[in-house]
Amino acid sequence: MLLLELYKNVELRPFIPVVVEFQSRLAGIEAECEPLGLSFEKELQSEQEMFFALISQKAFAFDVTNETGEVWDIRLEPFSHFKSRSKKITFPFMGCNEQKQQNISEWIIALCNWEGSFLYSSAKH
């Protein structure tokens, strides 16, 4: 989903900072494990759909782990930083982890711009 599409839908505008942050933090992960980049299966219209799509990203079903047993946490650092200090990365499938989902849910809500202070032009005559 392009940022312009989010901007066009007033209900989805609060999620613009989340999508930008996800794009930044997931950058490079597809080079290591193809389907784990940020993706949306369908066009999203509501806050609920957007929130569910974000919390359901494929990358969250895996515990990205390095040779020392360290597990990457998207909330703490970009994937590229984790990869740069790792010699070997594995992608064990963990499925749905309720605590991980809760932590990411809270992070998503905190990243949202609920104030709606986006740049826009208004014509006042």
Side-chain angles (χ1 to χ4, degrees), residues 24-29 72 77-85:
S24 169
R25 301 245 176 162
L26 288 168
I29 199 167
W72 173 62
E77 67 180 336
F79 174 76
S80 60
H81 293 179
F82 180 79
K83 183 179 186 264
S84 71
R85 67 171 188 279

Side-chain angles (χ1 to χ4, degrees), residues 42-102:
K42 63 176 190 156
E43 187 174 329
L44 306 167
Q45 297 298 320
S46 69
E47 283 182 10
Q48 292 88 356
E49 289 175 338
M50 177 58 115
F51 184 80
F52 184 75
L54 288 167
I55 196 67
S56 302
Q57 291 297 304
K58 291 175 185 169
F60 302 145
F62 294 83
D63 273 353
V64 181
T65 310
N66 67 14
E67 71 283 351
T68 64
E70 193 178 6
V71 178
W72 173 62
D73 186 339
I74 190 172
R75 298 169 306 142
L76 302 177
E77 67 180 336
F79 174 76
S80 60
H81 293 179
F82 180 79
K83 183 179 186 264
S84 71
R85 67 171 188 279
S86 303
K87 291 180 178 143
K88 181 181 180 191
I89 297 176
T90 57
F91 295 84
F93 180 77
M94 302 306 285
C96 179
N97 175 316
E98 287 185 35
Q99 185 59 52
K100 187 176 185 178
Q101 271 194 324
Q102 180 66 34

Side-chain angles (χ1 to χ4, degrees), residues 5 13 24 30 41 66 76 80 85 91 107 110 119 121:
E5 292 171 8
R13 285 183 192 167
S24 169
E30 283 191 339
E41 306 268 326
N66 67 14
L76 302 177
S80 60
R85 67 171 188 279
F91 295 84
W107 185 57
L119 297 174
S121 61

